């Protein structure tokens, strides 16, 4: 749940920044997930980071990072987290 709030906060805050910061936002979310995820110690971070990075390949906007965020949540085995659009709260 905390990770979901962190992702929502970072994504909503990042809308204010230039779209070119999309990958730096993703890096921040992954770093924070390592710190606060309940299952962080059970995650193979090398493999997960490669998968998340592959899903983010070519993304120029926060919205285009949705597959990468979803891969992160799946890799964390987070059943409560969701990726939502900060503009209209749609999934």
């Amino acid at each position: 749940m905390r990770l979901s709030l962190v992702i929502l906060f970072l994504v909503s805050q990042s809308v204010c920044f230039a779209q070119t910061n999309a990958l730096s936002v993703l890096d921040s979310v992954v770093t924070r997930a390592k710190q606060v995820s309940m299952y962080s110690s059970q995650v193979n971070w090398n493999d997960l980071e490669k998968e998340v990075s592959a899903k983010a390949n070519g993304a120029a906007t926060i919205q285009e990072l949705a597959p990468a965020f979803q891969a992160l949540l799946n890799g964390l085995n987070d059943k409560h987290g969701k990726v939502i659009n900060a503009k209209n709260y749609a999934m």
Side-chain angles (χ1 to χ4, degrees):
M1 183 68 171
R2 284 192 327 188
L3 178 61
S4 301
L5 295 175
V6 170
I7 289 174
L8 177 61
F9 175 77
L10 289 173
V11 171
S12 66
Q13 293 300 311
S14 66
V15 171
C16 300
F17 301 135
Q19 294 295 328
T20 57
N21 288 330
L23 295 179
S24 66
V25 169
L26 180 61
D27 289 341
S28 296
V29 170
V30 170
T31 298
R32 188 67 177 148
K34 286 180 182 180
Q35 297 169 349
V36 301
S37 173
M38 188 176 200
Y39 306 108
S40 185
S41 64
Q42 300 169 3
V43 173
N44 180 331
W45 283 102
N46 290 332
D47 288 348
L48 183 55
E49 286 178 339
K50 286 177 188 174
E51 180 183 356
V52 168
S53 180
K55 298 281 184 177
N57 190 29
T61 66
I62 300 301
Q63 291 75 18
E64 293 172 353
L65 289 175
F69 290 132
Q70 195 63 52
L72 177 62
L73 291 174
N74 290 339
L76 291 171
N77 200 25
D78 188 330
K79 307 279 190 257
H80 299 98
K82 294 181 181 89
V83 178
I84 60 173
N85 186 325
K87 291 181 182 177
N88 60 13
Y89 302 106
M91 287 193 230

